[in-house]
Structures are given as structure tokens and as C-alpha cells.
Amino acid sequence: MTLHLETRDILRTHYATSLTPYVQRAFAELRPGVQLHYGHHIRAVCDALERVERGDTTRLMILMPPRHLKSHCVSVAFTAWLLGRDPSRRLIAASYGADLAESFGGDVRRLIEAEWHRAVFPSLQLDKRKANAQELRTTRNGGRLATSVGGPLTGKGCNVLIVDDPLKAEDAHSATKRDAVWDWFTGTAMTRLDDQKKGAIILVAQRL
């Protein structure tokens, strides 16, 4: 029993302080029975995201082909881990469609409400008045807002802005749609950072 308790405490510390094992545990929570095909790129992504969490990096682009778990690492696991470490953090996570953005938000809520996650981050509590796939608010006035690229963000601010797949692959050859995304990004999204120097922006996409 003593060994079991010590092992459990070690794992909790590991998940709380290192993003790579947290990403693996989060995958097991969200995809039970599915084997995670771990690659060194996952550790590289997690190392880069940890630099964002520390404030060492404020602008990060992660460009990978599909099916490399980049959205799981960034839009889902990282945001839940970041809120666990600091429930006062405010994040905005945008994707090309509201359904996709809210799907990621639903996964984040599942992680935060999981028993093991509550044990790792006991200070993270969701405000029941705002605990849905679109908006997760913590009791310390932090949280995660899911929105679509091009969607309104009036009155919303954040410490970390994540733009995950700003364009559908089939829209990448349309100059009109590319320009629309660029105009939204520069004219709306970037203005939502509470601190333009210290706030972080993470772009996740395929190299199209």
C-alpha cells in the first residue's frame, strides 16, 4: 500500500510539472483503449509549449501534417494543463469552425473534471455558471473561450491566444479566404492580448 501511494504521488507531481507525461495521460482519458503512437515530435512540441508557459516564448508556430496530435497537444492538453498550473490564466482558442473549436473545448472540460486531474490540480475549480464547450471559466476568473476564426471577440481578453487550423485545407488556395483570415487575425485576434509584449500567440496548422 505504501508503494502504491508513493507511486501515485510521484505520478501526480510528474503530471503537474511536465507537459509530456500529461499529454500522454490526457490521451488515455479521452481515447480509452486507443494506443498512443508516441513520437519524439510530441516531446518537442511539449518542450516548446512549456517555454510559452514560463514566458520564455511569446510567439510560436507549430506546423505539421494531419494526424500528428498537434491539436491534442496544444488546443486540448496544454490548455487544461496551463489552467491547472494557474487557474487565473485567460485563453482564447480559435479554429476555422465553431464546431471544431467547441469540440476541443468539450475535451478540455472532460479533462478538468476527471478525477485524476482534480487530484493533480486541486486548486482548479470551474465556475458552474460558465462551464460549457464554448466557455470554461474558473473560480479565479481565468478560463478558456472557444471561437471560430472570423468570429467576434468584442470585450474578450486573454493571456494566451491559440489559433488552431485557421483555414480548411480546401480553402488554402483561395486568396479571398486567406485574406479574410489575415484581416481577422491582425485586426481582431491580436488585439485581444491583455499585454502585447508578454501575451503569447500560438499558431497550429498544416504547412499548406
Side-chain angles (χ1 to χ4, degrees):
M1 178 63 71
T2 301
L3 178 61
H4 173 72
L5 291 175
E6 289 178 351
T7 301
R8 187 172 61 186
D9 290 342
I10 290 171
L11 284 174
R12 287 176 179 174
T13 301
H14 210 33
Y15 296 147
T17 58
S18 182
L19 182 57
T20 299
Y22 178 88
V23 162
Q24 295 172 301
R25 181 63 182 87
F27 185 89
E29 176 68 33
L30 298 173
R31 302 289 302 277
V34 178
Q35 182 180 358
L36 171 65
H37 296 286
Y38 179 81
H40 292 301
H41 68 283
I42 293 177
R43 181 177 294 278
V45 168
C46 290
D47 286 347
L49 292 171
E50 287 182 357
R51 290 196 294 272
V52 172
E53 191 267 344
R54 292 194 301 268
D56 299 335
T57 298
T58 58
R59 301 293 184 269
L60 175 65
M61 291 194 298
I62 297 174
L63 307 177
M64 290 183 183
R67 313 307 297 170
H68 277 65
L69 294 180
K70 55 187 182 293
S71 292
H72 170 74
C73 290
V74 183
S75 292
V76 179
F78 175 64
T79 59
W81 184 78
L82 190 64
L83 288 173
R85 288 174 61 81
D86 183 358
S88 68
R89 291 276 191 129
R90 300 200 296 165
L91 301 94
I92 293 176
S95 297
Y96 62 75
D99 289 346
L100 180 61
E102 291 179 13
S103 174
F104 294 150
D107 285 344
V108 173
R109 181 181 179 182
R110 283 180 58 189
L111 289 178
I112 291 175
E113 293 180 339
E115 182 178 353
W116 66 270
H117 192 281
R118 295 198 304 269
V120 173
F121 299 113
S123 64
L124 173 57
Q125 301 291 329
L126 291 179
D127 184 339
K128 294 181 180 179
R129 295 169 298 179
K130 284 288 185 178
N132 53 63
Q134 183 179 24
E135 185 173 4
L136 297 170
R137 185 180 298 171
T138 73
T139 54
R140 289 180 53 187
N141 205 34
R144 181 190 191 279
L145 175 69
T147 188
S148 60
V149 169
L153 289 172
T154 304
K156 305 296 184 181
C158 65
N159 312 120
V160 180
L161 169 67
I162 298 172
V163 181
D164 188 342
D165 276 338
L167 271 173
K168 291 182 181 180
E170 57 266 31
D171 292 339
H173 299 291
S174 168
T176 300
K177 292 181 177 180
R178 291 199 308 269
D179 289 345
V181 170
W182 179 250
D183 290 343
W184 172 83
F185 180 74
T186 56
T188 300
M190 288 191 66
T191 66
R192 297 298 91 199
L193 290 176
D194 294 334
D195 187 321
Q196 290 293 323
K197 291 185 177 180
K198 294 182 179 180
I201 300 175
I202 304 172
L203 173 66
V204 183
Q206 302 178 51
R207 190 183 290 275
L208 297 172

